[in-house]
Amino acid sequence: MAKASLKKIVNYCDQILRTNEVQDYERAANGLQVENDGSVTRIAATVDASLATVKLAIAAKADLLIVHHGLFWGQTHPWTGKRYELVMLLLENNLAVYSSHLPLDLHPKLGNNAQLCSALRLKRLKPFFFSHGQHIGFRSDTALDRDVLVGRLGTATASTPRVIPGGPKQCRRIGVVTGGAGEDLKKAAQEGVDTFITGEGPHWTYALAEEMGLNVLYGGHYATETFGVKALAQELSRNFEVPSVFLEHPTGL
């Protein structure tokens, strides 16, 4: 059975993702969140760290779980009830957890935004959407019919996008930021795009998008953020010669 060092994998991830350099929400806690006995024989990847996905990882016989949304978002105590069950499952099954939020979003090759742009066949990418001291998304200046773009997004995410047709039918300046960037439509518009692709947004963004003349395509928070963990797990699998698997646990949101 192939085996790799957890420490070497973590160091590699921290280096290529610039974990200690990229600014993020304080509660993100990027990096190794739970360690194991020090070795990795199988990697699992999923979007969210939760009791359900931990059980899926254990069933897949993984000893390292790569996630985008980690275990620690706000208050995490007391460790009772389901939280106690979660921590005991991790410890009893020797399952390490590595989480990467904005560092994985913005990576120029493995990141959610770069991978989604590739799936959408967008070219000539430029930095876009300045947040937390850096650009986290990408912009493509290209002429593309809005309906064609919607079709490509649906194919890429295997879901039906929600569309706010507030802008031109012929898209020319397309911005991409996966996840929950819908509340920041003004920021996207101020950076010069006429079409904004993200995961989700609140109800009031419909009227705002119409007022600003902005097309908005909501591909789903979960669906738009499957790309990065898949790419990172595959990168680790190639470099450390251990198998990897993606664990589907869609939220529909």
Side-chain angles (χ1 to χ4, degrees), residues 115-141:
Q115 290 283 318
L116 180 55
C117 285
S118 177
L120 296 174
R121 287 174 276 161
L122 299 178
K123 308 293 185 183
R124 299 182 296 278
L125 303 181
K126 301 175 183 177
F128 169 70
F129 204 83
F130 195 79
S131 178
H132 290 81
Q134 67 251 314
H135 290 95
I136 62 175
F138 292 100
R139 165 179 165 167
S140 175
D141 294 348

Side-chain angles (χ1 to χ4, degrees), residues 139-205:
R139 165 179 165 167
S140 175
D141 294 348
T142 183
L144 189 62
D145 184 88
R146 184 176 61 212
D147 291 340
V148 172
L149 184 59
V150 171
R152 289 185 186 180
L153 180 59
T155 299
T157 60
S159 61
T160 302
R162 295 182 181 274
V163 180
I164 305 175
K169 186 168 178 57
Q170 188 76 356
C171 308
R172 297 187 180 278
R173 300 179 304 279
I174 303 166
V176 176
V177 179
T178 62
E183 293 187 351
D184 291 316
L185 297 190
K186 283 187 177 181
K187 180 191 294 288
Q190 288 168 353
E191 293 193 29
V193 299
D194 58 37
T195 302
F196 185 44
I197 299 173
T198 187
E200 63 171 336
H203 173 79
W204 53 261
T205 58

